Amino acid sequence: MTASDFSRQLEGYGLLTARILYHLPDHPALLQSFTWQTLDKAPTFPELRRFLDFWQRDIEGRLHSVKIAHRDLVGPADWRILDCAYPIH
């Protein structure tokens, strides 16, 4: 992870996983699955929208469905104060 990725996480970006089902161009009755991950910001998901616009414009496979999962990687629940000490020999 680069420093810019970390700064984006502090701005509210989290890990987005999208499972994209699309029709095969030569066999439209068949579906193919594609999984894509990036950092994106909920609830508008600008990166996902940009990617899906690219897909519809430049890729022959017609989209069937998109399922997403999103998780903030850095947040208040991730930081805890520990009240213990472990001696190291």
Side-chain angles (χ1 to χ4, degrees):
M1 180 184 339
T2 65
S4 63
D5 289 341
F6 184 70
S7 64
R8 288 180 74 192
Q9 290 177 32
L10 293 176
E11 294 170 3
Y13 282 75
L15 181 64
L16 169 82
T17 303
R19 183 174 148 239
I20 301 167
L21 289 179
Y22 64 97
H23 296 272
L24 291 175
D26 295 337
H27 304 282
L30 297 178
L31 293 175
Q32 180 75 30
S33 176
F34 179 77
T35 303
W36 184 69
Q37 285 188 326
T38 189
L39 291 178
D40 210 347
K41 192 169 188 175
T44 58
F45 301 112
E47 300 296 327
L48 177 63
R49 288 179 185 272
R50 194 176 356 252
F51 180 72
L52 293 177
D53 288 342
F54 161 77
W55 185 294
Q56 290 179 329
R57 186 181 60 246
D58 295 336
I59 297 178
E60 292 182 25
R62 188 172 51 91
L63 292 174
H64 176 271
S65 61
V66 178
K67 290 187 178 184
I68 63 170
H70 184 264
R71 172 76 170 117
D72 292 332
L73 298 177
V74 175
D78 295 326
W79 299 95
R80 289 180 235 126
I81 297 174
L82 299 177
D83 189 21
C84 61
Y86 296 101
I88 298 175
H89 300 291

